[in-house]
Amino acid sequence: MQANDWIGRHSVLAPVGPEAERIHGLWTFMWIVCAVLFVIVLGTLLLSLNRRATGDTRRATLVVSGCVAATAVILGVFLTYNFSVAHVLTDTPRGALEIRIVGHQWWWEVIYPSGVPQNQVTTANEMVVPVGQPILTRLESADVIHSFWPPNLMGKRDLIPRETNERIFTADTAGVYRSQCAEFCGYQHAKMTLLVVAVSPDSFVRWLDHARSAANEPSDSLASRGKELFLTSACVMCHTIGGTIAGSRTGPVLTHFGSRASIAAGTMANTRANLESWIVDPQRHKPGTLMPGATISRADVAAIAAYLESLK
Amino acid sequence: MSRPLLLSVALLLVASACEREKRRFDDPAGAPPRDSLRLTELEPGKVTRPESSAVVYEENASAVSEGKRLFSAYNCTGCHASGGGSIGPALMDDQWRYGSSAANIYATISQGRPNGMPAFGAKVPPKEIWELAAFVRSLSGLLDKSVASGRDDHMQRKSQEQATKPAKPRGGQAKPPGG
């Protein structure tokens, strides 16, 4: 995945699935109707500035009653259309793929549940989904209220502590769709991006299979040194790398970190230089983030970054 | 009251609260110097109290609350429960084997202690150890009530807000045995 793939057309006006298209249709209908009404009302107002009052109260009453009736009818139409769209959005189609999203300050934990425990996949800040299949997202929060909002795919749905909210979306076209946290959740609410990556069903199956595997063994000496450093310093206090002794769940899972597009939920593109800078001083890039700075040498940081980038 | 007087009183109140509520993302104190740590008050001549750089953490509500978050994130609760102790000693009582000053608690966390306290010095950065030390002191009611962290939903014997000890932060070191 290229570094800039995630800066796509992040807009409600570019729907990519049936749910988003329904919302888009409703919005367009209301916009057109309201625009026409605006022109009519404004036009009438301008016309009336030129006229003198005629004193014909019967005609005035008729016109006003007619307008009130028309308003009621238009609002009724809006209401009906609105309810029908809401009904579709909360429907649970069969064959939906379940994905759990747990919001943290300020990153997203994405879990693909499975009846077989070793097949469960936990990743962070990126959600890979198959094209064309409805995705049932189960939204939970580990601390405060967040909100999941990929505008190309669906409307906002809050992640509320001690509640599980659900929302369906479907991606009909392959691509990378950016989602933004839409409920103020603290200092770094703005830097909390979850990328929804829609791929072909075959690619998805292959990805899921690979995601279930343990982290790659380091292939060169620098990455080996990086692994050794990772497992003996502060990193293990918060991070998990599958297949190693690092198993803490305070921070994001790093098992396949090398194949992610961004660092720290969309703060920076995932390149070696950015990663080194991040590890040394996260507070410089995302002040207030819960990851503390590291007091380790430049060479050690380079080794750890090499190891993490090798975890594809 | 005259207007300038009112204004200065208001400014003074605001200024005193600012430090308490300030959030620090850097580490102003660093690790404490080794020779400032003492485990006992017994010493010949006048007892001197070393300067503690921990004040910047102890009088800061955000630091205590961060310490509380780290207390469960780093699994201190695994041995100390919520301060009542299980396989590790209670942290909300008056008994301090290795000293109750922030610098003492810093050393305990960083160096580890016999019979089970691991050494976290290489794993937890100094700023976070200070925050944990401030929180541990708050569990015994040693900190000012105004920096108390939020109350939990689970059972607890006493929170910092219910502390009956004196309100000012105490720098006390371990009591000698028998007195």
Side-chain angles (χ1 to χ4, degrees):
Chain A
M1 189 175 303
Q2 298 302 312
N4 282 334
D5 270 355
W6 47 288
I7 307 173
R9 184 144 179 243
H10 179 227
S11 165
V12 288
L13 300 178
V16 151
E19 294 81 11
E21 265 157 24
R22 283 301 212 121
I23 297 174
H24 181 63
L26 174 62
W27 183 86
T28 311
F29 176 70
M30 290 178 77
W31 190 89
I32 292 174
V33 169
C34 290
V36 166
L37 285 174
F38 177 73
V39 166
I40 293 174
V41 168
L42 207 61
T44 314
L45 179 67
L46 289 171
L47 278 173
S48 72
L49 289 174
N50 289 334
R51 300 250 191 111
R52 254 183 300 134
T54 56
D56 186 352
T57 53
R58 230 194 91 233
R59 184 146 172 252
T61 313
L62 226 73
V63 169
V64 169
S65 316
C67 287
V68 168
T71 309
V73 165
I74 292 169
L75 287 177
V77 167
F78 279 175
L79 196 68
T80 315
Y81 193 172
N82 205 339
F83 276 157
S84 97
V85 170
H87 183 72
V88 163
L89 292 181
T90 51
D91 226 357
T92 310
R94 279 205 257 139
L97 173 69
E98 238 183 76
I99 301 180
R100 274 178 63 207
I101 301 176
V102 183
H104 296 254
Q105 281 175 319
W106 288 278
W107 57 280
W108 303 90
E109 185 180 0
V110 181
I111 301 166
Y112 294 77
S114 168
V116 181
Q118 65 262 34
N119 286 346
Q120 176 164 296
V121 171
T122 305
T123 180
N125 299 328
E126 266 180 34
M127 182 163 74
V128 179
V129 298
V131 161
Q133 184 175 4
I135 310 293
L136 172 63
T137 56
R138 290 202 198 276
L139 306 168
E140 303 159 20
S141 170
D143 35 42
V144 297
I145 301 180
H146 302 273
S147 189
F148 177 52
W149 183 43
N152 302 90
L153 296 167
M154 61 180 242
K156 300 175 185 178
R157 191 74 170 136
D158 280 5
L159 287 76
I160 300 172
R162 294 192 252 286
E163 295 282 328
T164 303
N165 278 343
E166 293 178 358
R167 190 44 61 92
I168 305 258
F169 72 82
T170 314
D172 280 340
T173 317
V176 179
Y177 306 108
R178 186 165 173 258
S179 90
Q180 188 66 37
C181 178
E183 186 64 39
F184 181 69
C185 51
Y187 226 76
Q188 287 301 341
H189 157 73
K191 288 187 179 168
M192 199 171 149
T193 301
L194 172 59
L195 291 179
V196 181
V197 182
V199 296
S200 71
D202 290 333
S203 299
F204 175 73
V205 168
R206 270 181 278 126
W207 174 85
L208 194 63
D209 222 21
H210 176 71
R212 288 173 175 154
S213 65
N216 297 340
E217 282 303 312
S219 54
D220 60 33
S221 61
L222 188 65
S224 289
R225 170 99 183 108
K227 178 178 178 182
E228 183 193 318
L229 282 164
F230 187 96
L231 296 179
T232 53
S233 62
C235 317
V236 290
M237 294 298 283
C238 295
H239 292 290
T240 294
I241 295 188
T244 68
I245 60 164
S248 175
R249 291 158 64 193
T250 308
V253 170
L254 300 179
T255 310
H256 298 284
F257 177 79
S259 49
R260 285 187 205 155
S262 75
I263 299 172
T267 303
M268 302 183 277
N270 189 1
T271 64
R272 185 79 74 90
N274 281 349
L275 184 58
E276 289 182 19
S277 180
W278 170 259
I279 293 172
V280 165
D281 192 3
Q283 301 298 327
R284 191 157 63 89
H285 300 284
K286 199 171 176 181
T289 190
L290 301 178
M291 174 162 157
T295 47
I296 52 182
S297 72
R298 209 70 218 180
D300 287 351
V301 171
I304 295 180
Y307 173 57
L308 290 174
E309 293 293 351
S310 77
L311 298 178
K312 300 269 183 220
Chain B
M1 253 206 227
S2 70
R3 207 183 287 178
L5 187 60
L6 257 171
L7 204 63
S8 13
V9 168
L11 275 173
L12 217 71
L13 288 172
V14 165
S16 63
C18 273
E19 197 48 52
R20 188 186 73 221
E21 296 301 329
K22 192 185 177 98
R23 282 184 206 202
R24 292 209 146 74
F25 303 138
D26 59 348
D27 176 13
R34 292 187 78 88
D35 50 6
S36 77
L37 298 179
R38 256 187 276 121
L39 297 181
T40 173
E41 279 180 354
L42 293 175
E43 69 174 62
K46 199 168 157 168
V47 175
T48 52
R49 252 165 232 275
E51 271 299 309
S52 176
S53 48
V55 166
V56 70
Y57 287 96
E58 295 212 319
E59 293 176 355
N60 184 285
S62 162
V64 175
S65 140
E66 272 296 291
K68 180 173 174 149
R69 180 186 69 83
L70 294 169
F71 195 82
S72 50
Y74 288 157
N75 200 31
C76 311
T77 51
C79 295
H80 295 286
S82 306
S86 57
I87 63 173
L91 299 176
M92 49 168 59
D93 59 2
D94 243 343
Q95 312 305 318
W96 298 93
R97 295 179 205 181
Y98 303 104
S100 69
S101 78
N104 286 127
I105 299 175
Y106 185 109
T108 299
I109 296 172
S110 178
Q111 299 162 5
R113 292 291 180 239
N115 291 332
M117 175 67 187
F120 286 100
K123 297 277 196 288
V124 179
K127 172 173 183 276
E128 296 193 336
I129 303 185
W130 281 121
E131 287 166 352
L132 282 163
F135 175 67
V136 166
R137 278 171 58 76
S138 84
L139 285 175
S140 301
L142 295 175
L143 295 187
D144 197 282
K145 282 190 201 190
S146 64
V147 298
S149 48
R151 242 179 281 175
D152 286 321
D153 289 337
H154 61 68
M155 225 164 51
Q156 50 193 343
R157 199 195 75 177
K158 251 185 191 165
S159 66
Q160 169 67 12
E161 294 152 313
Q162 299 162 309
T164 53
K165 304 221 176 12
K168 282 200 148 71
R170 287 194 338 200
Q173 282 140 6
K175 291 196 182 101

